[in-house]
Amino acid sequence: MKRQTGQSETARHWRPATQAVRGGTARSEWGETSEALFLTSGYSYDCAGDAAARFAGEQAGMTYSRLQNPTVEMLEKRIALLEGAEACRTMASGMAAMTAALLCQLQAGDHVVAGRAAFGSCRWLVDTLLPRFGIASTVVDARDPDAFEAAIRPNTRLFFFETPANPTMDIVDLAAVCALARARGIRTVVDNAFATPALQRPLEWGADIIAYSATKMMDGQGRVLAGAVCGPRDFIEGELLAFIRNTGPTLSPFNAWVVLKGLETLDLRIRRQSENALAVGRFLEARVPRILHPGLPSHPQHNLAMAQMAACGPIFAFFVDGRAQAHALLDALDLIDISNNIGDSRSLMTHPASTTHSGLSEEVRTDMGISEGMLRLNVGLEDPADLIDDLDRALAQAGV
């Protein structure tokens, strides 16, 4: 690689929009302006001594794309800059990132306190996977900092939560919960996928580790899967790296390159989508029995959300009368797609109880606040007036 840009100390003082375009860029001898895509599984050495030195950690350089790749490394440095983190490692999917962030630092006998409102697979990690390895867990209403404190045990090692939470839009008081954790010597792992560093930087509120599905807003156009974990360098390189080196949840260079391109427009997209979501949310608030939208004053944690986030984000939930009416509304949509994805530039709607959270028991879904009448909407970049027209017609057809 010929020239590094975005790696100097100056880069850390760039504003986020600049970091999203320039941060972490490395150029080859060809001087390309766009990041190069390095499709290689391995690397060659000038001599056997160089190979030995690299594997011993005595010489800088790449050894194997399960560990390092120039394109992937650019993405990792860029996300770390955006997040304000010392280091970042990327993985093949958001769930690979969540799993690695937990398992790399936990062992049998440990205890985790987790927010009860979470993506279905994240709840599966807490409820099903961790106990298989002798790791106990307690789920709490993460909206209440006192609930975290009440759940602490002598062996509690970790707080794990999402804010905003999927799909109930619960907001966690980052300052209060992270301060509690630090005072007790407990680490916090925050899933920031709904907000991204463009709208919320949990490290600034005292969080230790940030995990992402970069599939969502970071790519933002429904193209590839990717995940990321950010945090202190000693954690990323000392604990997480050993786990991913030996278990192999590797992000492909092509997917890394696509997410790099997505980050260039992240700030523009997420702010416009937040504006569109507010417009659509105001319309729905007058039409449906209940809505959970952090950007609306009706949200019970609106003030906290707006204190922690630069904008409301593109995702919210609302309720109709049961599964039959929810499915009827989905089937009546013309412009908005039925899809379980989020963070896309296209507007998407799903019924969590029968899709993203269908693997959880009805009892757990009820405890999380997911009813048969809940729908989750990701508002995209379309004209909000067209989205409102589509919803108005579909609501009428479904009898809402």
Side-chain angles (χ1 to χ4, degrees), residues 51-239:
R54 287 195 199 176
F55 273 82
E58 298 166 354
Q59 182 187 91
M62 307 281 172
T63 59
Y64 192 55
S65 279
R66 179 156 47 85
L67 301 177
Q68 315 104 343
N69 176 279
T71 308
V72 174
E73 187 176 80
M74 282 189 272
L75 175 63
E76 291 170 344
K77 289 179 177 178
R78 186 169 298 179
I79 293 174
L81 285 166
L82 284 168
E83 195 64 56
E86 291 180 355
C88 171
R89 280 282 173 169
T90 53
M91 276 150 272
S93 70
M95 284 314 304
M98 303 299 161
T99 304
L102 298 181
L103 289 183
C104 79
Q105 58 182 314
L106 294 170
Q107 61 184 3
D110 288 345
H111 174 245
V112 174
V113 181
R116 69 183 182 187
F119 176 53
S121 294
C122 289
R123 274 298 300 261
W124 184 87
L125 290 180
V126 171
D127 295 344
T128 304
L129 183 66
L130 294 185
R132 291 179 183 174
F133 294 94
I135 302 164
S137 61
T138 302
V139 293
V140 299
D141 185 343
R143 296 170 295 183
D144 180 9
D146 291 339
F148 281 93
E149 185 166 24
I152 293 173
R153 303 177 185 174
N155 59 334
T156 301
R157 299 289 176 263
L158 205 67
F159 289 172
F160 176 46
F161 57 87
E162 307 170 6
T163 184
N166 183 2
T168 59
M169 308 310 295
D170 288 0
I171 307 297
V172 179
D173 187 332
L174 285 166
V177 173
C178 294
L180 169 65
R182 292 210 167 185
R184 298 296 190 90
I186 298 167
R187 281 178 173 167
T188 48
V189 176
V190 180
D191 179 346
N192 196 36
F194 269 34
T196 81
L199 298 186
Q200 176 175 268
R201 304 216 302 180
L203 293 178
E204 295 178 350
W205 298 91
D208 296 303
I209 298 151
I210 314 304
Y212 280 106
S213 172
T215 308
K216 309 303 189 291
M217 288 301 308
M218 287 187 179
D219 170 26
Q221 291 157 81
R223 299 170 296 190
V224 298
L225 300 179
V229 179
C230 301
R233 190 171 302 281
D234 60 354
F235 167 76
I236 297 294
E237 302 300 333
E239 298 179 54

Side-chain angles (χ1 to χ4, degrees), residues 269-285:
R269 287 184 286 104
I270 199 166
R271 290 179 186 275
R272 175 58 66 86
Q273 288 179 243
S274 294
E275 293 173 6
N276 289 354
L278 262 181
V280 174
R282 290 187 184 112
F283 161 76
L284 282 171
E285 190 171 35

Side-chain angles (χ1 to χ4, degrees), residues 241-259:
L241 178 57
F243 182 89
I244 62 177
R245 173 195 289 124
N246 293 295
T247 58
T250 311
L251 178 64
S252 76
F254 178 78
N255 286 15
W257 184 85
V258 172
V259 177

